[in-house]
Structures are given as C-alpha cells and as structure tokens.
C-alpha cells in the first residue's frame, strides 16, 4: 500500500486524490474527473480545515453506498479518525509544521484506506 501511495504522490496527487483513486480501484471503478476534482479538498479544503484524506473518505463512502453512509458509516469513520489521530482538521493534525505533512499525511492516507476497506467490507 505504501508504494502505491508514494507513486501517486510522486505523480502529483494530494491526500484526497490518493484516497479517492485507490478507493475507486477498490470498488472496481474509474473516474478521472472525480479524482481531479478531489484536489479541491487537499490541505483541508485549501485552508487547514478538515483533512483531505478524511473528507475524500466521506465522499467515497457516499459513492460506494449512500444509504449505508447515511445509516452511520460516515459517523463511524469520522469518530475513528478523530480517535486515532486526535483531530479532524489539518491545522491541528500537523501543528503548522511543514515537515509534519511529509511524515504524517502518508500515514493518514494509508490508515484511511485500510479503514475504508473494513467499513465497505472489501478485501
């Protein structure tokens, strides 16, 4: 998983785009325009708010099964993310440290993808 994340990052994808791209692959789907649009969620919607990996995961859960997303998958995921990492917002997660982004963001992305596999019962 780490290699795939690294490859997408080296190709210019941000956290939200990587989560969506790998999520689409897990679902057996393709949607280049959607992945491109996910750039708007990068870096906490470009202003340090909710983490791009987290917001892309919410979008992917709706894409996979909107009804199940509404029935609790979204809240379960967000609760898990906040419990696992201590916050949802980029500013809090990274503490305004540019080096933290290099160290922590790949972990947020990988953990998110693994949690999505679990929530969507994918193997």
């Amino acid at each position: 998983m780490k290699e795939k994340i690294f490859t997408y990052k080296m190709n210019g994808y941000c956290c939200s785009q990587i989560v969506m791209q790998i999520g689409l692959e897990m679902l057996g789907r393709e949607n280049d325009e959607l992945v491109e649009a996910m750039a708007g969620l990068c870096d906490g919607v470009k202003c340090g708010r909710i983490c791009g990996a987290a917001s892309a995961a919410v979008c992917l859960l709706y894409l996979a099964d909107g009804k199940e997303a509404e029935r609790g998958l979204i809240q379960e995921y967000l609760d898990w993310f906040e419990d696992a990492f201590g916050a949802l917002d980029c500013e809090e997660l990274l503490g305004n440290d540019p080096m933290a982004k290099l160290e922590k963001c790949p972990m947020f992305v990988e953990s998110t993808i693994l949690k999505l596999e679990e929530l969507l019962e994918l193997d």
Side-chain angles (χ1 to χ4, degrees):
M1 178 71 63
K2 286 178 178 44
E3 291 175 21
K4 186 180 271 195
I5 292 167
F6 179 75
T7 299
Y8 283 125
K9 184 66 178 165
M10 294 308 296
N11 285 318
Y13 284 44
C14 71
C15 57
S16 53
Q17 291 174 302
I18 295 169
V19 168
M20 184 56 71
Q21 179 62 46
I22 293 174
L24 286 167
E25 291 169 9
M26 291 183 323
L27 296 173
R29 297 181 182 181
E30 291 182 30
N31 191 329
D32 293 340
E33 289 177 337
L34 176 58
V35 173
E36 187 176 325
M38 288 290 111
L41 302 178
C42 297
D43 302 316
V45 193
K46 304 294 186 190
C47 64
R49 300 293 168 102
I50 189 167
C51 168
S55 55
V58 169
C59 293
L60 187 72
L61 288 168
Y62 269 100
L63 183 65
D65 188 338
K67 289 180 182 177
E68 284 301 313
E70 286 288 327
R71 288 188 188 121
L73 285 183
I74 300 298
Q75 195 60 55
E76 182 177 346
Y77 168 76
L78 293 173
D79 289 345
W80 166 83
F81 191 96
E82 195 165 19
D83 287 346
F85 304 116
L88 286 170
D89 285 354
C90 284
E91 286 181 355
E92 291 179 62
L93 291 165
L94 302 177
N96 293 320
D97 177 3
M99 292 307 292
K101 185 174 183 179
L102 294 173
E103 296 168 8
K104 292 182 178 181
C105 290
M107 176 190 57
F108 300 146
V109 169
E110 182 179 22
S111 297
T112 287
I113 292 165
L114 294 172
K115 186 63 175 180
L116 287 169
E117 285 179 328
E118 177 189 318
L119 290 172
L120 295 171
E121 300 177 0
L122 301 172
D123 293 320

